[in-house]
Amino acid sequence: MPETTATAAAPTSDADPFAPEHLADPDPLHQHLRDTGPVVHLTRYNVHALARHQEVHAALVDWGTFQSGAGVGLANFRHEKPWRPPSLLLEADPPHHDAPRRVLREILTPLALRRLRETWQTVADELVETVLAEQGTEFDAFTALATAFPLRVFPDAVGLGPYGRENLLPYGNMAFNAFGPRNDLVQADAHRVAELSAWVNDQCVREALSEDGFGARIWAAADRGDLTPAQAPLVVRSLLTAGVDTTVHGLAAALYAFATHPGQWQRLRERPELARVAFDEAVRWQSPVQTFFRTATKDVDIAGTRIPEGGKILMFLGAANRDPRRWSDPDRFDLARDPSGHVGFGMGIHQCVGQHVARLEAECLLTALARRVAHLELAGPPRRHLNNTLRSWVQLPIRIRTAS
Amino acid sequence: MVAHDLLPAMPRPAPTLTLRVRAKDTVADGVVSLTLVHPEGARLPDWTPGAHIDLVLPDGTTRQYSLCGDRWDPYSYRVAVLREPAGRGGSAYVHDRLAPGDPVGIGGTHNHFPLAPADRYLFIAGGIGITPLLPMIHQAELMGIDWQLLYGGRTRPSMAFRDHLADTYGGRVHLRPQDEYGLLDLDTWLGRPDPGTKVYCCGPAPLLAAVEEACAGWPPYSLRTERFTAADRAEPVRQTSFEVELSRTGRTVTVTPDVSVLHAVRGAGAEVLSSCEQGTCGTCLVPVLAGTPDHRDAVLAEHERAAGDCLLPCVSRSRSDRLVLDL
């Protein structure tokens, strides 16, 4: 193949991006990978890594060359059995991806979510009042706000029953760990896979769901023939897998950002309509979803490096979102910045279908806080939770001063 | 949504993207296909079978055409344009004046005619209505789903892509030019209602009406159609004026029977983007906060009409004395 002579071998790195020290603090590794080259061969896993915005963005949108159907984790579904039936959205390609995507997109459009706004704002206002009344001026914002709020509104919006909701976060944690290698994090979840999967699968059937939630609308789409009856429970499962942990850690990212940037909080209080921009800037800055994989559908050259057909590509969304080639002063959390074009929600046909849900949750919670809280700051060191895919938290101690 | 040549040209905002005509080919009597590319070779927005684009011609007219190319080629769009002598100039411009190298603006893509899953597809095309079905057929092949195509047209030479279809797919394709076969024998061809089959039809209004009648005994939602123009609907429910409140400004405007909701709210200062103003494109969709819409569009699905939480103000009206819109 004469083409191969024109392509150089990629620079290599023996770093393990899933090692605890990199998961706890990914920024140094991200900088190392960005500066090593547009494509870096990770020898430990024999995958090619993209960490610069331009290459990550290009790979995300090019679904024909970089497929999702062979899995968006390290496991290659061409050779390895997935740990659960693959997602019809995240782990599917056109044409099979089209119908489930369309159905879920229409259920989660900003227009369709409009009816939730008033209720969610009320819930957020009440939650903030309760936390301030019961916990005073110092509390763990990860548990009291970032976790509590999505768990109050999202399961109801899906239409879940009252029992077993405590399984949602562990299930999501497990699913997002499963995109990485079979390391200690995956082993730690292993004993709960069967139990958690069974509970989640039980929630996806029509009878388990209320009559007016997202879940019921997915089943209504099946009744109209826009999905098959076999597809409907898997589309519900996508909501339950991807809709909880991501928003919890996204909200935590926003709270962490404001607790460490008091001037930005003042700006938000002066202009509460910046809540949505603030959330997207926090998603850019922290990238709750750090990585996803793709698989090359053919031999492909990226910036002079040949990636073989069937090879796995690891895209560092978090690194792309702080690439100085794309963003000025990328490590700064700045509401004056236009975060458009960040890849924290992905990009292209697989871009987060629930992004409007996340934005609405964030807008309601930040608006409620901005009404009542004049100032917030860290009250102790925040503690990260390690997950192979999510940049996540266990504790975010903050101190607040209420508005008079 | 093949070609709205019979609709008046409407002023519209600047399109989002300017492409260049790379090729213009005659593909049947009175039909040319256009291949459109980005002037800098950039990737074009993704689309799914059944989608259309708004094409803004250099003379300012806007028409909507179904994409009939290959979505696996992200660098070009293909549309096919029928010359419509009764039209208002859009198709004549494409046929007579538009040339390779010319710029054209596009809006979209939009898809009101998506391919839903099925065990089997029956595709029915009338004339230029073949265009949205071409990518659907390709997709059915990729998914290994059984399908058949019934393709009618005035005359064989007028039927675009007939040779490509017959050569590629052989016996699945049933070409039925009217001057050889007469009107399509829909009842025989459709056969008995089958719950696993979906029927996709695009073509002129009389064909759609005939197919709707022929499918009357089929399970609900089996038949999926796309109209050239908005469905003819009965007279508005109300023959009297009603009030529309703009919730964001608090203004209220009276909509008299001779004025559209769209024009009335614009007169009251609301900014509403619109395109076809015939209830077929969906651009002007607005949320309804209170009141009951009288839906008169060809875009919303039945369940979306029943929800009553949005309407297309270019054609739809009110059943209640008052509508409150999120404007």
Side-chain angles (χ1 to χ4, degrees), chain A residues 9 15 41 77-78 107 110 119 146 156 192 199 214 237 265 298 316 335 348 358 364 373 375-376 387 392 401:
Chain A
H41 186 237
F77 293 175
R78 298 183 189 186
I107 290 170
T119 311
D156 284 348
R192 295 200 71 190
W199 180 80
F214 300 146
R237 195 192 68 180
W265 183 250
K298 58 190 178 199
F316 284 86
L335 297 200
C364 292
V373 172
H375 172 81
L376 70 161
N387 180 283
S392 49
R401 192 173 69 240

Side-chain angles (χ1 to χ4, degrees), chain B residues 257-301:
Chain B
D258 58 324
V259 173
S260 71
V261 174
L262 179 69
H263 286 102
V265 300
R266 278 183 178 159
E271 302 259 358
V272 185
L273 191 65
S274 72
S275 177
C276 76
E277 303 205 4
Q278 298 280 333
T280 54
C281 76
T283 303
C284 63
L285 186 76
V286 296
V288 176
L289 302 177
T292 309
D294 174 15
H295 293 292
R296 305 179 56 72
D297 62 273
V299 173
L300 297 179

Side-chain angles (χ1 to χ4, degrees), chain B:
Chain B
M1 201 139 320
V2 173
H4 287 288
D5 213 21
L6 300 175
L7 304 182
M10 287 292 167
R12 55 168 288 129
T16 52
L17 202 54
T18 299
L19 303 185
R20 192 171 52 76
V21 178
R22 189 178 70 194
K24 175 178 164 181
D25 303 295
T26 299
V27 291
D29 284 359
V31 181
V32 294
S33 97
L34 300 177
T35 305
L36 309 174
V37 295
H38 192 278
E40 282 142 35
R43 194 182 167 94
L44 302 179
D46 291 307
W47 57 282
T48 51
H52 67 271
I53 55 172
D54 305 317
L55 196 63
V56 185
L57 298 167
D59 71 349
T61 56
T62 298
R63 297 292 181 267
Q64 293 169 316
Y65 295 101
S66 297
L67 291 169
C68 61
D70 178 7
R71 66 189 290 212
W72 271 264
D73 167 14
Y75 299 102
S76 73
Y77 285 159
R78 192 178 195 201
V79 296
V81 178
L82 170 69
R83 179 193 286 276
E84 297 194 54
R88 309 243 316 200
S91 71
Y93 188 98
V94 170
H95 277 259
D96 299 336
R97 297 180 58 191
L98 196 67
D102 284 356
V104 288
I106 68 148
T109 66
H110 316 278
N111 193 343
H112 304 308
F113 192 37
L115 190 64
D119 300 331
R120 187 173 73 122
Y121 296 110
L122 294 177
F123 296 112
I124 302 173
I128 196 66
I130 189 65
T131 49
L133 302 183
L134 278 181
M136 293 188 185
I137 287 167
H138 179 222
Q139 195 133 310
E141 281 283 308
L142 286 175
M143 294 192 283
I145 297 172
D146 188 20
W147 62 273
Q148 299 280 318
L149 167 69
L150 181 65
Y151 182 9
R154 284 179 295 105
T155 62
R156 195 172 286 268
S158 75
M159 293 164 66
F161 309 114
R162 64 188 183 282
D163 293 338
H164 159 75
L165 285 162
D167 293 349
T168 310
Y169 303 118
R172 292 184 185 275
V173 175
H174 308 270
L175 301 177
R176 295 288 180 270
Q178 193 173 343
D179 62 347
E180 298 175 32
Y181 291 88
L183 289 175
L184 297 176
D185 181 4
L186 293 169
D187 289 329
T188 305
W189 193 77
L190 283 165
R192 297 169 62 164
D194 169 28
T197 298
K198 284 194 173 72
V199 181
Y200 275 79
C201 178
C202 185
L207 173 65
L208 294 178
V211 173
E212 280 174 7
E213 195 181 321
C215 287
W218 283 60
Y221 309 110
S222 299
L223 173 63
R224 314 271 171 137
T225 61
E226 181 149 74
R227 296 174 187 284
F228 284 30
T229 57
D232 291 331
R233 293 197 174 266
E235 286 291 295
V237 173
R238 297 175 65 99
Q239 303 295 336
T240 53
S241 299
F242 52 93
E243 295 201 316
V244 171
E245 179 184 327
L246 312 180
S247 68
R248 297 189 195 181
T249 59
R251 297 188 67 172
T252 295
V253 57
T254 299
V255 183
T256 52
D258 58 324
V259 173
S260 71
V261 174
L262 179 69
H263 286 102
V265 300
R266 278 183 178 159
E271 302 259 358
V272 185
L273 191 65
S274 72
S275 177
C276 76
E277 303 205 4
Q278 298 280 333
T280 54
C281 76
T283 303
C284 63
L285 186 76
V286 296
V288 176
L289 302 177
T292 309
D294 174 15
H295 293 292
R296 305 179 56 72
D297 62 273
V299 173
L300 297 179
E302 284 308 320
H303 69 282
E304 293 168 321
R305 293 175 196 285
D309 61 357
C310 57
L311 92 167
L312 292 166
C314 64
V315 293
S316 295
R317 305 187 66 81
S318 181
R319 292 172 179 268
S320 48
D321 294 339
R322 188 177 181 83
L323 277 183
V324 182
L325 302 182
D326 187 9
L327 286 173

Side-chain angles (χ1 to χ4, degrees), chain A residues 70-206:
Chain A
V72 297
L74 179 62
N76 189 329
F77 293 175
R78 298 183 189 186
H79 320 297
E80 296 169 67
K81 187 177 181 320
W83 70 280
R84 61 175 193 175
S87 164
L88 300 181
L89 290 124
L90 193 66
E91 296 161 328
D93 300 307
H96 298 281
H97 175 258
D98 295 348
R101 173 77 188 191
R102 182 179 175 95
V103 165
L104 201 49
R105 178 173 60 83
E106 294 197 340
I107 290 170
L108 303 178
T109 58
L111 188 71
L113 299 178
R114 205 183 60 241
R115 70 183 81 223
L116 296 170
R117 175 186 295 269
E118 205 174 319
T119 311
W120 286 13
Q121 189 61 63
T122 305
V123 174
D125 289 337
E126 288 170 0
L127 175 67
V128 169
E129 286 305 325
T130 307
V131 169
L132 298 185
E134 293 179 357
Q135 306 202 35
T137 56
E138 273 193 36
F139 53 88
D140 171 18
F142 176 71
T143 306
L145 298 174
T147 305
F149 182 60
L151 283 178
R152 283 199 193 180
V153 295
F154 187 72
D156 284 348
V158 174
L160 291 191
Y163 304 111
R165 292 182 175 194
E166 68 278 5
N167 291 322
L168 286 168
L169 285 169
Y171 182 78
N173 185 61
M174 186 174 81
F176 281 99
N177 270 332
F179 295 121
R182 291 183 182 165
N183 56 12
D184 291 349
L185 294 172
V186 172
Q187 292 307 320
D189 291 334
H191 68 289
R192 295 200 71 190
V193 170
E195 163 217 351
L196 291 171
S197 300
W199 180 80
V200 164
N201 292 341
D202 286 347
Q203 310 315 307
C204 297
V205 300
R206 186 199 299 266

Side-chain angles (χ1 to χ4, degrees), chain A residues 10-89:
Chain A
T12 62
S13 169
D14 65 357
D16 177 3
F18 303 99
E21 65 271 23
H22 295 312
L23 294 177
D25 180 16
D27 295 335
L29 173 68
H30 289 173
Q31 185 178 343
H32 163 70
L33 292 173
R34 283 192 306 258
D35 291 347
T36 300
V39 182
V40 181
H41 186 237
L42 298 181
T43 52
R44 189 175 297 250
Y45 298 111
N46 188 27
V47 301
H48 286 88
L50 311 177
R52 295 182 185 176
H53 185 275
Q54 183 180 330
E55 281 74 25
V56 169
H57 188 282
L60 282 168
V61 301
D62 188 357
W63 53 267
T65 308
F66 303 100
Q67 70 162 154
S68 294
V72 297
L74 179 62
N76 189 329
F77 293 175
R78 298 183 189 186
H79 320 297
E80 296 169 67
K81 187 177 181 320
W83 70 280
R84 61 175 193 175
S87 164
L88 300 181
L89 290 124

Side-chain angles (χ1 to χ4, degrees), chain A residues 207-267:
Chain A
E207 296 71 25
L209 296 157
S210 72
E211 288 177 6
D212 57 353
F214 300 146
R217 277 171 228 169
I218 291 167
W219 278 102
D223 292 340
R224 294 192 304 273
D226 294 338
L227 289 176
T228 68
Q231 289 175 318
L234 286 169
V235 176
V236 178
R237 195 192 68 180
S238 288
L239 278 180
L240 300 183
T241 312
V244 189
D245 296 58
T246 48
T247 44
V248 165
H249 298 296
L251 292 175
L255 295 172
Y256 173 63
F258 282 119
T260 51
H261 295 74
Q264 300 299 317
W265 183 250
Q266 291 316 312
R267 190 194 284 261

